Each structure stands twice: as C-alpha cells, then as structure tokens.
Amino acid sequence: MYAQQVKSTGARVKSLEEMDAQERAFQERIDAGIKIEPKDWMPEGYRKTLIRQISQHAHSEIVGQLPEGNWITSAPTLDRKAILIAKVQDEAGHGLYLYCAAETLGVSRDQMTKDLLSGKAKYSSIFNYPTLTWADIGAIGWLVDGAAIMNQVPLQRCSFGPYSRAMIRVCKEESFHQRQGYDIMMKLCDGTVEQKEMAQDALNRWWWPSLMMFGPSDNDSVHSAQSMAWKIKQDSNDELRQKFVDQTVPQADYLGLKPPDPDIKWNEARGAYDFGEVDWEEFFRVVKGGGPCNKERLAARNKAWDDGAWFRDGLMAYAATRDARKVAAE
Ligand code: BYC
C-alpha cells in the first residue's frame, strides 16, 4: 500500500517499479506488516523522517511539562497536586523513551537537545499557549491529551519497531491523563456558576489550538503521503482531526459546555460532525515562533539546561573517576 492516498504537497511517492531492488524489498516488508528494526537497511529518507518526527515528539513531551508544571504549586487540593506532579513526571518519561527510540537511528541525545534549545527543532504548537486558570489544566488533560491519544494510538502500529513499542506505553499513560483532565472539567461543571464559566472559558481558548495539533490540512501536509506509504503514519492529519471532533463534541455536551465553533453540526449523511475552518494563519505563525509563549518556553528550557550544567559535570567527573579506578584494579 504505497499509493498516494492523501492530497499532499510533498514529493511524489515512488511506485514499486521506480524503486531499486533494495528499496523494493524494504517497501515489501513494510507492506507485509514486518517491523523495521534499527540495524536493518532502510532508505535514508525513512531514517531522516523518523528522526524528525520522533525528536519533535520527544521535544513536545519535554516542553509540554512547562504549561502544566506552572500549576503544581497552585493546584487546589493536595490530591490534585499529587496527581499533577505524577502527570508532569510521566511527560518527562515519555520524552526519555522517545529520545532513546530516536537514538537507535544514529542521532545523539545531545544533538537533539541542541536543536531544541537553539530553536532549530520543532515541538507541538499547542505548548505555546498559556495556562491562565486551573480549568486550563482540566482542558489540557481532556483536549490536548485526548488529541495526543487520537494521534498516538495509530503510532503504536508504526513500521519502526522502537517507536511503535515506545508508543504502547505512552498511550497507556496518556489515557490516564485524559481521564484526569476530564475529571477536573466534570468537577468544575458540577460546581458554582463561576467554576462552570471558568471551564467554558478554558474550552474556548484550547479548542482551536487542540485541532491544530494534528498538523496542516491534507492539502498542505508536506510529509503525509510518504509517511503513510512507509506506514510511519497510518492516518492523514484531516482524518485524525475529524475523529477527534467526533469523539469530543459529545463529551462537551455531557459537560454542558459548547465548543467555540458555530459551524459544528451533526451530518447524518457523513455520520460525522461538520465543523469550521481552523485559522491556518495562526497555526503557521505559532509554528514559526510567533505564538504567545514561544520565547518563554525556549527560555525556560535553556535556563534548565544551563542550571543543570554542574550536575552533568558532576556525573561526568564521577564516571571518569570510576572508570580510572576500574582500569587500575584490572
Ligand atoms: N506543531 O507534513 P506535516 C503530547 C509541522 S505532545 C508544530 O503534516 P508530519 C503531550 C511538521 O513538523 C503531542 N509543528 O508533518 C505532551 C512539518 O514541519 P517540518 C506531540 C507542526 O510530520 C505533554 C510541517 O508542520 N505529538 O502528546 O507528517 C502533555 C508540515 O506538517 C505541527 C507528536 O509529535 C504542530 N501541531 O505530521 C500533553 C506526534 N503539525 O518537520 C500531551 C507525532 C505539523 O517539515 N507526530 N507541524 O519542519 C506526528 O504525528 C506528526 O509529526 C504530525 C505532523 C501529525 C504532528
């Protein structure tokens, strides 16, 4: 299955006849559902695409800790604080599995970190929006983790073994995160008028950025066609966005909240919700660094890296002494 299924602006996907023998054998393995492992031969484009996607994904997990970490000291109860700390720690763990998966492709963790800190590497646009109220923590769990799961469940079947295996564990944890976010929203919606208004305000601000998480529309997606041919991606950006809307609108109804889109309407013929157009100008502005918190996020990651220099130096000094002792003892 390598035919181009989505309208994409990326390079045309080669047909089997256009491939050399090695590429064809590789594509046939993918088509047969056989996982590719790090030591297997792979086309350079496949390796580069995976490094790009997995490292961006890892960076998103790491930067994604910042908006939520902001509320750890202000969580309304001890239980909520403990749950939020655990969630933020989980995100760090996801980043680590993903950096390890990318390292199997020959890129170093130091290089990936440098690319994030210099602003060269991308991370998800969603984390460039501020968390203004406690309801934002509910909305992130419900919507952002909800969108992440929608995107990541198919990634468990990704053709590259280490990425696919990392996603199995990540998805289990994300499901818990989504439930805790929805639980916060339920409590707020069952609370006072002011609490319900706070929940609606959070939904108003996070709805469209959540839809943007799935990437540009299929017409503008550069990588989708090739990534789907290689079974790195299983679904196109628009297909996943539609599934997310179909799943989330009834959840908003249950809470008694309304997504900020007057065009949302059940379409009986399609068996899906119609919805309005994402503001793509805003999406590309945020991706290019012009979102409300892009500068703050990069500054926070750079500060964390600089502040951790003494610890990294200490670890290296300890490792060198330990190695020297080992050599002396031999
Ligand atoms: N934000 O050709 P396209 C989480 C870029 S975090 C920024 O469609 P592709 C969580 C794209 O990279 C969720 N950039 O690309 C953590 C490309 O630029 P480059 C993170 C975006 O790769 C903490 C260009 O636009 N999840 O779970 O086929 C707390 C053209 O796009 C975005 C992942 O990373 C965006 N939203 O598809 C809570 C999942 N969208 O690289 C939750 C793994 C697109 O050419 N990644 N771009 O410079 C993917 O599934 C895919 O990479 C995407 C994009 C669907 C995101």
Side-chain angles (χ1 to χ4, degrees):
M1 201 291 300
Y2 50 87
Q4 192 161 334
Q5 287 193 330
V6 293
K7 284 182 252 151
S8 158
T9 55
R12 201 178 63 80
V13 177
K14 275 190 196 170
S15 69
L16 276 185
E17 293 70 41
E18 290 168 296
M19 294 176 190
D20 65 30
Q22 208 169 22
E23 280 178 307
R24 199 175 315 127
F26 176 83
Q27 186 65 51
E28 282 167 356
R29 281 187 70 188
I30 300 245
D31 293 346
I34 300 169
K35 291 270 182 263
I36 306 299
E37 297 299 335
K39 288 190 175 151
D40 295 341
W41 182 87
M42 60 185 78
E44 193 49 19
Y46 179 82
R47 197 179 71 85
K48 283 196 172 136
T49 298
L50 279 167
I51 290 178
R52 179 184 63 77
Q53 178 166 326
I54 302 173
S55 64
Q56 285 176 3
H57 193 164
H59 298 328
S60 303
E61 301 283 356
I62 297 302
V63 177
Q65 295 178 97
L66 295 169
E68 293 187 285
N70 208 20
W71 275 88
I72 289 175
T73 50
S74 311
T77 66
L78 186 59
D79 278 351
R80 292 289 183 197
K81 191 191 285 272
I83 294 167
L84 185 57
I85 290 173
K87 178 178 194 276
V88 172
Q89 273 180 341
D90 284 352
E91 310 301 358
H94 298 172
L96 296 188
Y97 318 146
L98 289 162
Y99 283 129
C100 288
E103 279 182 316
T104 68
L105 290 155
V107 62
S108 72
R109 173 108 171 254
D110 273 357
Q111 187 56 50
M112 289 185 273
T113 305
K114 270 191 198 129
D115 290 346
L116 170 66
L117 298 181
S118 69
K120 184 175 164 212
K122 288 194 168 78
Y123 57 85
S124 182
S125 50
I126 192 77
F127 301 117
N128 293 308
Y129 292 85
T131 39
L132 304 178
T133 70
W134 172 248
D136 289 15
I137 300 305
I140 290 184
W142 170 35
L143 301 172
V144 176
D145 287 277
I149 295 168
M150 195 54 85
N151 171 280
Q152 289 167 190
V153 164
L155 289 176
Q156 296 178 112
R157 286 179 282 120
C158 166
S159 58
F160 185 58
Y163 192 25
S164 126
R165 290 188 287 273
M167 292 323 297
I168 292 171
R169 178 145 176 203
V170 170
C171 283
K172 287 203 168 82
E173 293 175 355
E174 297 290 21
S175 304
F176 165 75
H177 295 171
Q178 202 259 356
R179 294 299 291 265
Q180 69 83 36
Y182 198 69
D183 183 64
I184 293 176
M185 296 305 273
M186 283 205 296
K187 285 279 178 319
L188 290 172
C189 291
D190 276 347
T192 62
V193 173
E194 287 80 4
Q195 283 172 321
K196 189 153 184 191
E197 279 172 4
M198 196 160 80
Q200 179 63 56
D201 172 61
L203 173 58
N204 293 347
R205 285 180 292 104
W206 290 92
W207 175 257
W208 290 109
S210 298
L211 295 194
M212 293 175 196
M213 285 176 72
F214 297 97
S217 73
D218 290 351
N219 286 327
D220 291 322
S221 171
V222 188
H223 304 293
S224 282
Q226 182 61 72
S227 288
M228 287 172 77
W230 279 329
K231 293 194 180 161
I232 293 172
K233 282 166 84 157
Q234 318 280 333
D235 308 271
S236 79
N237 299 353
D238 285 338
E239 284 165 355
L240 290 174
R241 196 169 3 253
Q242 178 72 58
K243 279 192 193 174
F244 175 73
V245 170
D246 292 344
Q247 172 183 280
T248 312
V249 170
Q251 294 173 347
D253 278 350
Y254 184 78
L255 292 170
L257 301 178
K258 252 183 117 47
D261 177 358
D263 295 326
I264 290 181
K265 202 167 164 252
W266 178 251
N267 183 325
E268 194 60 49
R270 289 200 308 122
Y273 284 95
D274 291 335
F275 59 99
E277 185 70 10
V278 170
D279 180 347
W280 293 116
E281 238 176 77
E282 175 179 329
F283 168 75
F284 286 111
R285 187 171 63 246
V286 175
V287 169
K288 285 185 191 141
C293 298
N294 294 62
K295 288 199 177 72
E296 191 182 322
R297 301 293 183 236
L298 267 196
R301 286 313 311 157
N302 272 287
K303 182 174 183 311
W305 178 256
D306 294 343
D307 289 353
W310 67 271
F311 186 69
R312 291 191 300 278
D313 290 349
L315 280 180
M316 295 308 285
Y318 172 74
T321 328
R322 188 198 49 198
D323 291 348
R325 272 207 217 107
K326 224 164 137 192
V327 170
E330 278 165 8

